[in-house]
Amino acid sequence: SIQAANPMYQEIIIRTLSRTTQEKLPQNIINKWISNNSIDMNSLLKEFQNFWRENSEIWVEKYQYKEAAPHLILQAFLQRVVNGGARISREYATGTKRLDLCIEFANKKYPIELKLLYSEKTKQEGIHQLSEYMDKMNEKTGWLVIFDRKSNKNWNDKIYWESIEQQNKTIHIVGL
């Protein structure tokens, strides 16, 4: 597989791919979810669910690589929000595997695993993978974001929120 020569190039590539989206997002989303040295990730991702439902077709069409579009759009949304002092680590190293995103703010970590729905196994595999990452990071809360790209599926079935408790951890499953 092709890899960036160093972390700086990796960051530049992702930011370049999502820059137009980030710049065109509404200004009122910045810092709305940051207070008391923490990020309200649940409210933030619920807001992204609303944004995705209303705008996904428009934004996805702007990308040449349709498979990567959901991830890039979410990253642009998050980058716009966390520019006020937080940091997004992409492909965050956690042992031999990698976590898709980790937002770091005020000495707190917010692990996020991203998946495209391909089969019934996607959700369980994502939960297992995120749970392992959370163990390595010593975090008790994480978010699994699952994008359902099926055009024949009703939005009310695509957009959902589920929270599960597993091995003293809370995993929020964000359906999109």
Side-chain angles (χ1 to χ4, degrees), residues 17-107:
L17 289 172
S18 63
R19 181 177 179 198
T20 302
T21 303
Q22 183 181 333
E23 289 174 350
K24 292 184 178 179
L25 289 172
Q27 286 290 327
N28 64 348
I29 67 170
I30 300 172
N31 292 333
K32 183 176 177 180
W33 297 277
I34 297 176
S35 67
N36 300 324
N37 285 329
S38 67
I39 299 174
D40 184 350
M41 287 297 295
N42 289 346
S43 293
L44 173 60
L45 289 172
K46 286 177 182 179
E47 184 68 22
F48 183 76
Q49 284 180 310
N50 293 331
F51 174 83
W52 184 253
R53 182 180 191 148
E54 294 172 7
N55 300 288
S56 62
E57 290 90 358
I58 297 165
W59 287 102
V60 168
E61 287 306 311
K62 295 179 181 194
Y63 285 89
Q64 181 178 358
Y65 303 104
K66 305 293 184 233
E67 288 291 311
H71 292 185
L72 293 170
I73 294 166
L74 175 59
Q75 289 181 49
F77 186 89
L78 293 173
Q79 189 68 52
R80 188 69 178 260
V81 170
V82 302
N83 266 345
R87 188 180 90 192
I88 297 178
S89 298
R90 293 162 185 86
E91 293 291 325
Y92 189 89
T94 53
T96 58
K97 296 181 181 180
R98 298 201 175 263
L99 173 67
D100 287 325
L101 300 172
C102 184
I103 296 176
E104 299 175 73
F105 180 72
N107 296 319

Side-chain angles (χ1 to χ4, degrees), residues 92 102-111 137 139 141 143:
Y92 189 89
C102 184
I103 296 176
E104 299 175 73
F105 180 72
N107 296 319
K108 295 178 187 165
K109 294 179 182 173
Y110 304 85
M137 298 168 65
E139 290 298 323
T141 306
W143 292 265

